[in-house]
Amino acid sequence: MPISRLVRPWLLCLLALLAAGRAVALDPDKAFHHYVRNTWSIEQGLPQISALAIAQDRQGYVWVGTQSGLARFDGVRFTVYTPDSAPGLPGLWIHDLLVDPENRLWVSTYRGVAVHEAGRFRTLPLAGAEPGGFTDTRDLVLTDRGELLVAAQTGVLRVQDDTLVLAYPLPRPATALLASGDDLWVGQRGRVVRLAGGASEIMPLPAGDEDTVVTELLQAQGRLWAGTSGGLFYREGDQWKRHEGGAPLSRAPIEAMFEDRDGNLWVGMVEDLARLRNGRVRELVTGEVDAAAVRAMFEDREGNLWFGGQWEGLTRVWNGWTRRYGSREGLEDPVLWSVARGPDGRLWAGSNSGLSVMEGGRFREVVSGDQLPHPNAYTLLPEEDAVWIGTRRGLAVLRGERLERPKAFNAFRGAQVNGILRDHRGALWFATSQGLYRQARDELRGFGAADGLRDPRTRLLHETRDGRLVLGTQSGLYEVIGDRIKPLGLDTGLGPDVDVTAIHELADGELVVGTLSEEVFLSRKGRWTRFGVEQGMPVNAAFFITHDRQGYLWVAGIRGIQRIRLREMFAVADGEAERVQGEMLLNERGDRRGGQKGDCCNGAGNAKGFLFGGELYLPTRSGLVVMSTEGIIKSEVAPRTLIERVRVGDAWRVADPTAPWRLGQDDRDLSFDFTVLSFQDPKSVELRYRLVGYDDDWRDLEDVTRRSVNYTNLPPGSYVFEAYGANSAGVWSPAPAQLGFHIQPRFHETGLFQLLVAGVLASLVYAGYRRQQGAHQRQRESLEALVSQRTEALEVANFRLEEASQTDPLTGLRNRRYLANQIPADIAYYDREVVRRATPGEVMVFALVDVDHFKAVNDRYGHAAGDRVLQQFAQVLGHLVRTGDYIARWGGEEFLVVFRPMPNRHLPILGERIRQAIASHRFDVGTDEPISLTCSIGFIECPLFRDARGSLGWEQMVELADRALYHVKAHGRNGWAAYRPLPHADLPGLLAALQNGEADLLASGKFELLGSDGVRAP
């Protein structure tokens, strides 16, 4: 279709994107270093460190052009295209990318232009050139009339009838293009040429810039901009003027320019990145590695801003929900222990080495660490005329600019001061590591065991709105009544040994308490309700708790920041629900569905945070973090789910739903690669899949970074593979991706075969009947003998057919169908034998063995060599098993070995025996020299729990072995690993951990990972 006919589809695509949901753009008032940034380079699969061009197609893929090829990115993995893998791509060095309204990707390279359409690349020939001739091409631009124009050495080329035609010959190379209405602006050395209505106008750069090359042209913020090798220019009247912002913008080479949807003009230079608003420099980003030498910029449909760097690869920038104030804002020590807001509105921060105050958005150190009793300003109480500073060794007071160490508080000068509070009567209270203290009427009184305090280690204080003083300690919650201390909640659900780390009072006067054991307790109607992982709370030890106007409870701790709807907590406390839906918005480890990654939060006690103006202020190990409780905006753009390719046997095929998908009778093992295209938080997307005609219901993909599933030994029939996904905000694709296919039956699986067998039997019976009618008893006995003979023959035939269906034709080993019939019986038998013989140390062992780098063997030596390797691999495993053990081909290059009971102490010996046997074998692949291979082994022992035999299916046992195998693959291969429950482990804990992945198996503390050197978990 000619490009001139693409305007209407362009509008339709635009309307479709708008209907898909509102994208969240970057906050224009946020400093660059407050944005969340993620970077991908060659370590993550980018073909080269220089990302020179970026585009997003209508499906949602992000395309990246580099100096060593083109990459397609889905947020998790890169698919790389080079002239070797995609012959229609003319050159490695990519200069520009453009997606047209028909979702065709145009690629400008140093050897010409290519177009990607219907899954293939095609090089456009140059009109008038000799066969194989090419030209260096630069910018790509689509005009309002639908013409695709290309900047080239000889001028401006036009795409016409799938050919590059010289549309505007120019005496100097075209280095930049801009199409605006009927005008075409062409950047060259020393000038810009305007082409309009068949006429041309030359607009030279100012005197002295005759050799300056125009690298970028852009209309933004009411101006025509020219980025050049000698700085930034704009057009005013009939002249080019150098930008008045000064160095480096006015003199540094301009590498890229881009205007985002908020009207920010981003200008990339060799070392710096500038952001302009209304033509003026709003921010100059210096010293940021991923903001230096930016060569390409792009904003995707979810509002993420992408930077392609000369040295750092691809960087994605998005708002996040936090601002972080540290060394850039003058903070001397980034490790903060306390933060508090004074009566005058100033923010005070206690760090690892002193006290600072924030004024005008910047920190100023007021007291250095060496002036304090201990450098750590652990807790604070700012008042009108003083700031009380609790350290890890006593107290200090800042009055104006004078720092005091009052001798009146020498009673606890060696103690850690965790909390300071002035009550409504004016008395000062101090929670310390050696007890509770009160100063009233110039008298300091200590409280200890004689006053009702079971443990002197006190953490924090809270005065309720009705004047009650509540005390949090390492051994429970107390209330101070006069000169006595009374425990709270002992008989109402709180318990005596909770280590209280945070206290908060709700609007109705009820209390919420956080503990070091990563639980939260809510007081409601005289009872305390516990909220832990089982009730839907994220794992976190609460150091600060508050609530906002939207009805959320906020909990901040060392693992991050989370929020929970209070109405859900009330429903659980009232017995109307069993779980809440806790949501992590900031977490230290970058967990899946954990919000943005970042450090948080320090210290249990008072002054560990505050809520002001809808924002949380919290001390962390990397400065002050500020989170807007009202600005948690997630992407509402519905992602698209795609099935990318299908592996049939050993060959991958593009998942084209229009292609014929009638598979052969031996194509029973299939793999599907699929993806969901969302870039807001790719690791937190959800993916579900099912094989209609085989699966009863949808399945959740546990590891969304793998995005691939396998099916083996499928019976003949018609199927539809379906997949659909959701972004990190839970917005699902509008429709699942689908691919239908049909597996043809073998002859013995056809209805004709069954009909023939039935016909033969019917003929025999009829013949027998006829003979029976025409003969006496002797003839009847003879006929019965004949029928018996035929029946036996049929049973033998059926037995052979059954054997064939349970045998892998390549290796001669058993297959999955055999395992499904045999393993349950073996497990039941060995369970009885273990009980009868009273040998609890004996276990069956499942070993899932995978050939390392098997794909490389196929790629280098061919699939026939790969088949030979699998046959030899099966033979090596066969030499390692005993009578009663058996081996099955699990699928592809994976084998499952089932060992009859053995002492569990022999597991390491068995792992090393298998690993060494494979590593020492020389595999014949048909070349002069045999090759060496290694394997990865995942073990699991059966039974896992002596008191829960039969509660865990063999499929789940193999899944645990697969988890161990995957751990070996992720830690260098050529080894073995096994999960083994610790004595206090239980079956419910294992089943729960299985739903959440390997991290939970180990983090629960109930399972250990055995393994060879380099594989074992730390």
Side-chain angles (χ1 to χ4, degrees):
M1 178 185 291
I3 295 179
S4 60
R5 297 176 56 189
L6 299 180
V7 176
R8 181 172 297 176
W10 174 277
L11 293 176
L12 293 176
C13 290
L14 179 60
L15 291 174
L17 288 177
L18 292 175
R22 180 173 62 88
V24 181
L26 291 178
D27 182 352
D29 296 322
K30 212 171 190 179
F32 186 82
H33 68 271
H34 290 314
Y35 292 135
V36 178
R37 285 170 282 168
N38 302 93
T39 298
W40 296 267
S41 191
I42 54 176
E43 296 83 3
Q44 291 77 37
L46 197 66
Q48 204 261 348
I49 61 173
S50 297
L52 308 180
I54 308 170
Q56 185 177 32
D57 64 25
R58 304 293 176 247
Q59 293 175 314
Y61 287 109
V62 169
W63 294 82
V64 186
T66 75
Q67 293 180 4
S68 295
L70 181 66
R72 190 187 69 185
F73 188 44
D74 69 349
V76 171
R77 58 192 176 192
F78 291 92
T79 302
V80 177
Y81 302 92
T82 65
D84 290 334
S85 63
L89 193 63
L92 281 171
W93 196 309
I94 312 298
H95 287 144
D96 199 11
L97 299 171
L98 184 146
V99 176
D100 70 21
E102 288 207 341
N103 200 34
R104 294 184 294 187
L105 176 71
W106 298 88
V107 186
S108 168
T109 80
Y110 78 108
R111 293 177 60 88
V113 174
V115 61
H116 180 262
E117 184 177 15
R120 297 180 180 276
F121 288 93
R122 185 176 74 256
T123 300
L124 274 66
L126 182 63
E130 296 181 0
F134 61 87
T135 183
D136 188 5
T137 58
R138 296 284 172 167
D139 261 6
L140 298 168
V141 68
L142 191 65
T143 70
D144 292 347
R145 297 189 300 274
E147 291 183 317
L148 185 68
L149 302 178
V150 185
Q153 295 292 308
T154 56
V156 179
L157 307 177
R158 177 191 295 120
V159 176
Q160 182 175 318
D161 298 328
D162 284 340
T163 302
L164 293 177
V165 178
L166 184 59
Y168 304 103
L170 297 172
R172 301 178 185 179
T175 54
L177 297 178
L178 170 65
S180 176
D182 293 330
D183 295 349
L184 176 66
W185 307 76
V186 184
Q188 297 182 299
R189 177 174 54 83
R191 66 186 189 179
V192 175
V193 178
R194 177 187 178 190
L195 303 172
S200 63
E201 177 187 1
I202 296 177
M203 297 177 289
L205 295 178
D209 286 293
E210 292 81 4
D211 291 328
T212 298
V213 178
V214 177
T215 55
E216 296 284 335
L217 289 171
L218 184 68
Q219 277 187 333
Q221 301 180 356
R223 286 178 171 176
L224 176 64
W225 300 89
T228 76
S229 59
L232 182 64
F233 292 82
Y234 64 92
R235 188 75 174 172
E236 186 172 278
D238 60 353
Q239 293 183 334
W240 288 105
K241 292 190 175 181
R242 194 178 297 274
H243 189 265
E244 61 272 23
L249 199 61
S250 62
R251 296 292 178 182
I254 306 301
E255 304 283 350
M257 292 195 301
F258 182 79
E259 184 181 31
D260 66 24
R261 68 187 63 177
D262 292 310
N264 292 293
L265 175 59
W266 298 87
V267 182
M269 293 164 279
V270 174
E271 295 183 355
D272 307 301
L273 178 68
R275 175 166 51 171
L276 280 65
R277 296 280 291 181
N278 300 320
R280 299 290 180 265
V281 177
R282 177 68 179 270
E283 181 181 14
L284 184 64
V285 183
T286 61
E288 298 282 352
V289 175
D290 46 13
V294 173
R295 297 291 302 276
M297 290 180 269
F298 180 79
E299 189 173 16
D300 68 23
R301 65 191 189 192
E302 293 178 285
N304 301 299
L305 192 62
W306 298 81
F307 294 129
Q310 180 70 40
W311 315 114
E312 296 299 320
L314 184 67
T315 297
R316 180 200 55 154
V317 179
W318 63 289
N319 269 330
W321 307 300
T322 63
R323 301 190 307 278
R324 194 173 293 271
Y325 298 89
S327 57
R328 294 183 182 86
E329 289 76 26
L331 195 61
E332 296 288 338
D333 190 324
V335 179
L336 296 186
W337 292 106
S338 55
V339 60
R341 187 172 184 269
D344 58 359
R346 291 193 298 174
L347 185 147
W348 296 86
S351 75
N352 222 36
S353 58
L355 176 69
S356 297
V357 64
M358 178 178 275
E359 299 168 325
R362 292 194 60 79
F363 282 104
R364 174 174 60 88
E365 187 177 75
V366 178
V367 178
S368 63
D370 56 9
Q371 296 176 276
L372 295 173
H374 185 280
N376 296 174
Y378 194 76
T379 190
L380 301 172
L381 175 63
E383 296 187 312
E384 292 286 354
D385 58 349
V387 179
W388 298 83
I389 310 167
T391 77
R392 294 190 187 272
R393 279 203 302 269
L395 184 73
V397 185
L398 179 66
R399 302 185 187 277
E401 297 183 358
R402 188 178 73 257
L403 184 69
E404 302 174 358
R405 300 186 187 181
K407 294 182 179 179
F409 303 102
N410 281 351
F412 57 87
R413 65 182 178 182
Q416 176 171 301
V417 181
N418 298 315
I420 309 172
L421 180 144
R422 188 180 293 276
D423 67 18
H424 67 284
R425 297 185 181 87
L428 272 173
W429 295 84
F430 302 92
T432 78
S433 59
Q434 67 183 36
L436 175 67
Y437 294 86
R438 178 187 66 197
Q439 190 212 35
R441 296 183 293 277
D442 297 329
E443 177 186 353
L444 185 69
R445 185 190 189 287
F447 295 80
D451 306 297
L453 192 62
R454 189 162 65 93
D455 190 324
R457 296 171 297 175
T458 57
R459 286 200 187 276
L460 68 159
L461 296 145
H462 176 80
E463 186 177 31
T464 65
R465 284 187 290 275
D466 59 3
R468 299 164 55 216
L469 187 63
V470 181
L471 175 66
T473 78
Q474 291 184 238
S475 297
L477 188 69
Y478 294 83
E479 181 179 354
V480 182
I481 305 175
D483 288 339
R484 298 293 299 169
I485 300 177
K486 176 184 176 182
L488 294 177
L490 293 183
D491 300 322
T492 55
L494 192 58
D497 295 318
V498 292
D499 190 341
V500 179
T501 52
I503 303 172
H504 177 67
E505 184 178 6
L506 299 177
D508 59 2
E510 299 283 17
L511 295 180
V512 182
V513 170
T515 71
L516 195 62
S517 57
E518 300 179 328
E519 300 165 313
V520 170
F521 292 84
L522 169 67
S523 172
R524 185 166 172 84
K525 301 176 182 178
R527 297 288 304 175
W528 290 89
T529 302
R530 172 186 171 275
F531 292 86
V533 176
E534 300 86 355
Q535 289 75 33
M537 294 284 284
V539 177
N540 201 8
F543 292 161
F544 174 73
I545 302 176
T546 189
H547 72 278
D548 64 18
R549 293 174 295 185
Q550 284 73 42
Y552 283 102
L553 185 78
W554 292 82
V555 179
I558 194 168
R559 291 181 182 263
I561 304 172
Q562 65 202 65
R563 67 176 181 180
I564 313 97
R565 290 191 183 275
L566 280 168
R567 68 169 181 264
E568 294 181 5
M569 298 183 70
F570 295 156
V572 173
D574 295 339
E576 299 171 358
E578 295 183 355
R579 291 177 58 86
V580 297
Q581 197 166 19
E583 181 182 16
M584 210 76 176
L585 295 170
L586 179 76
N587 78 97
E588 291 214 342
R589 299 186 304 177
D591 293 334
R592 183 185 179 195
R593 298 174 189 166
Q596 71 179 74
K597 189 177 185 298
D599 292 338
C600 189
C601 289
N602 279 348
N606 290 103
K608 301 308 175 186
F610 64 87
L611 176 66
F612 177 75
E615 294 186 315
L616 285 173
Y617 293 78
L618 300 163
T620 79
R621 296 194 300 278
S622 56
L624 173 72
V625 66
V626 180
M627 174 176 282
S628 173
T629 62
E630 301 172 3
I632 310 300
I633 302 174
K634 298 185 178 181
S635 174
E636 298 176 6
V637 177
R640 184 169 181 181
T641 306
L642 297 170
I643 303 170
E644 295 181 324
R645 58 179 187 163
V646 183
R647 186 176 68 181
V648 182
D650 294 326
W652 285 100
R653 294 173 54 180
V654 176
D656 181 2
T658 64
W661 284 93
R662 191 170 184 85
L663 305 182
Q665 60 185 19
D666 294 325
D667 294 332
R668 305 298 177 96
D669 298 340
L670 302 178
S671 298
F672 298 89
D673 276 6
F674 54 103
T675 189
V676 59
L677 296 171
S678 176
F679 299 94
Q680 180 86 181
D681 186 7
K683 69 179 182 304
S684 296
V685 302
E686 294 184 66
L687 272 169
R688 293 176 181 172
Y689 67 94
R690 68 179 177 183
L691 185 58
V692 179
Y694 186 83
D695 293 325
D696 294 330
D697 202 355
W698 290 96
R699 299 184 181 185
D700 291 320
L701 187 67
E702 293 186 9
D703 184 358
V704 297
T705 63
R706 298 180 73 174
R707 302 192 179 187
S708 182
V709 294
N710 304 317
Y711 288 89
T712 58
N713 291 327
L714 288 173
S718 295
Y719 302 92
V720 178
F721 181 76
E722 295 185 331
Y724 76 116
N727 64 15
S728 58
V731 179
W732 287 90
S733 301
Q738 297 178 324
L739 182 72
F741 60 95
H742 179 82
I743 299 177
Q744 298 183 64
R746 300 182 178 98
F747 178 68
H748 68 269
E749 298 170 322
T750 64
L752 177 60
F753 176 79
Q754 300 297 330
L755 185 61
L756 289 174
V757 171
V760 170
L761 290 175
S763 297
L764 292 174
V765 172
Y766 180 71
Y769 174 75
R770 295 288 295 172
R771 294 187 66 182
Q772 183 182 24
Q773 294 298 315
H776 296 292
Q777 183 64 32
R778 181 176 56 81
Q779 293 172 319
R780 183 179 299 111
E781 291 175 357
S782 177
L783 179 60
E784 289 175 354
L786 180 61
V787 171
S788 175
Q789 179 182 356
R790 295 295 189 268
T791 303
E792 182 179 355
L794 183 62
E795 289 177 352
V796 171
N798 286 335
F799 175 76
R800 290 174 178 172
L801 289 175
E802 181 66 18
E803 282 290 295
S805 69
Q806 298 187 33
T807 303
D808 175 53
L810 176 65
T811 62
L813 300 177
R814 296 298 190 180
N815 58 20
R816 281 197 181 189
R817 185 171 181 178
Y818 174 84
L819 296 179
N821 296 329
Q822 186 66 29
I823 289 182
D826 286 350
I827 291 177
Y829 171 77
Y830 287 128
D831 276 347
R832 293 193 301 271
E833 285 298 297
V834 169
V835 171
R836 184 179 64 80
R837 297 199 308 265
T839 53
E842 286 196 353
V843 291
M844 287 181 68
V845 176
F846 292 76
L848 197 58
V849 188
D850 184 88
V851 185
D852 291 335
H853 303 295
F854 180 73
K855 183 177 181 301
V857 175
N858 279 334
D859 292 345
R860 183 172 181 181
Y861 301 105
H863 295 294
D867 289 345
R868 297 176 69 175
V869 166
L870 292 177
Q871 292 168 339
Q872 295 170 65
F873 197 93
Q875 293 170 1
V876 174
L877 292 178
H879 293 150
L880 299 175
V881 299
R882 306 162 297 174
T883 303
D885 303 338
Y886 49 89
I887 314 169
R889 186 179 179 192
W890 188 246
E893 61 269 24
E894 288 186 340
F895 296 80
L896 181 66
V897 189
V898 181
F899 295 92
R900 58 184 170 83
M902 65 175 67
N904 59 6
R905 65 179 181 272
H906 291 171
L907 186 66
I909 300 173
L910 182 60
E912 284 303 312
R913 183 178 299 166
I914 297 174
R915 187 193 65 78
Q916 292 178 4
I918 297 301
S920 61
H921 186 77
R922 304 283 283 172
F923 290 83
D924 180 12
V925 292
T927 59
D928 293 338
E929 290 292 329
I931 63 172
S932 296
L933 294 172
T934 62
C935 67
S936 300
I937 312 153
F939 285 114
I940 196 66
E941 300 164 333
C942 176
L944 284 177
F945 306 97
R946 293 293 162 185
D947 57 347
R949 290 191 303 272
S951 298
L952 201 65
W954 72 271
E955 298 93 343
Q956 293 170 303
M957 302 292 293
V958 176
E959 183 180 358
L960 276 171
D962 187 59
R963 293 285 179 85
L965 173 63
Y966 181 72
H967 182 88
V968 177
K969 287 290 188 181
H971 290 77
R973 297 181 171 85
N974 191 20
W976 63 270
Y979 287 106
R980 178 178 286 174
L982 296 173
H984 59 282
D986 53 17
L987 180 60
L990 173 60
L991 293 175
L994 270 175
Q995 298 298 318
N996 299 317
E998 177 191 3
D1000 279 14
L1001 280 171
L1002 299 177
S1004 66
K1006 296 183 178 181
F1007 300 89
E1008 65 177 342
L1009 179 69
L1010 308 177
S1012 54
D1013 293 342
V1015 171
R1016 194 177 300 111

